[in-house]
């Protein structure tokens, strides 16, 4: 892997990933999973409150649903940030045999690459 590369094809189809990049993705996905786990608990509590038909429980659902909505926004934001970071660092290259390969770069270029290469073209 060259200096500045975060992700490189090794020629045999395997991929070498920079440790910092992998840690960043793992941390983000862990955050998403933690929020989704919390949402599962919130949904269970909301359902129990709804089924109980007890006025205090139904009133509590208003706050629980707001918390659920905020958590969903956080997940969307995390995925959006991941997508943006990935797109910014993605550089598509075509190898000499015509196969599409992807190489992530840590360059200061803030513009995402939207080039697509089709196999066999």
């Amino acid at each position: 892997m060259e200096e500045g590369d975060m992700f490189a094809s090794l020629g045999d189809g395997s991929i070498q990933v920079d440790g910092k990049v992998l840690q960043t993705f793992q941390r983000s996905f862990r955050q998403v999973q933690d929020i989704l786990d919390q949402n599962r608990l919130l949904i269970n509590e909301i359902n129990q409150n709804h089924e109980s038909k007890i006025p205090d429980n139904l009133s509590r659902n208003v706050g629980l649903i707001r918390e659920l909505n905020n958590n969903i926004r956080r997940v969307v934001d995390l995925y959006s940030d991941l997508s943006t970071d990935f797109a910014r660092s993605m550089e598509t290259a075509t190898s000499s045999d015509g196969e599409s390969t992807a190489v992530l770069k840590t360059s200061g270029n803030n513009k995402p690459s939207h080039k697509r290469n089709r196999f066999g073209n």
Side-chain angles (χ1 to χ4, degrees):
M1 213 160 51
E2 293 178 30
E3 182 67 32
D5 287 354
M6 297 187 322
F7 175 91
S9 174
L10 298 178
D12 63 357
S14 63
I15 297 170
Q16 184 177 6
V17 180
D18 182 279
K20 283 194 274 187
V21 172
L22 186 58
Q23 286 177 349
T24 300
F25 282 124
Q26 287 174 333
R27 183 174 50 251
S28 294
F29 286 120
R30 197 172 318 113
Q31 284 179 303
V32 166
Q33 188 59 55
D34 289 346
I35 295 168
L36 293 176
D37 290 342
Q38 183 182 6
N39 284 356
R40 185 180 328 104
L41 296 174
L42 286 169
I43 290 167
N44 287 339
E45 186 174 351
I46 290 166
N47 286 335
Q48 289 171 358
N49 289 345
H50 181 73
E51 290 170 2
S52 77
K53 308 252 189 251
I54 297 170
D56 286 343
N57 290 351
L58 295 173
S59 295
R60 179 165 162 65
N61 275 359
V62 173
L64 294 174
I65 291 169
R66 281 192 183 118
E67 185 177 351
L68 182 65
N69 284 335
N70 287 333
N71 286 352
I72 292 168
R73 277 190 210 94
R74 287 173 52 208
V75 168
V76 168
D77 289 344
L78 284 166
Y79 276 132
S80 177
D81 291 346
L82 274 168
S83 177
T84 299
D85 291 345
F86 186 78
R88 280 187 181 147
S89 57
M90 186 59 98
E91 175 183 302
T92 304
T94 304
S95 66
S96 59
D97 61 4
E99 290 184 25
S100 180
T101 58
V103 179
L104 284 171
K105 301 258 185 196
T106 57
S107 69
N109 181 1
N110 287 335
K111 289 187 177 181
S113 172
H114 297 289
K115 295 187 290 183
R116 290 187 178 189
N117 294 314
R118 296 182 184 200
F119 291 103
N121 288 351

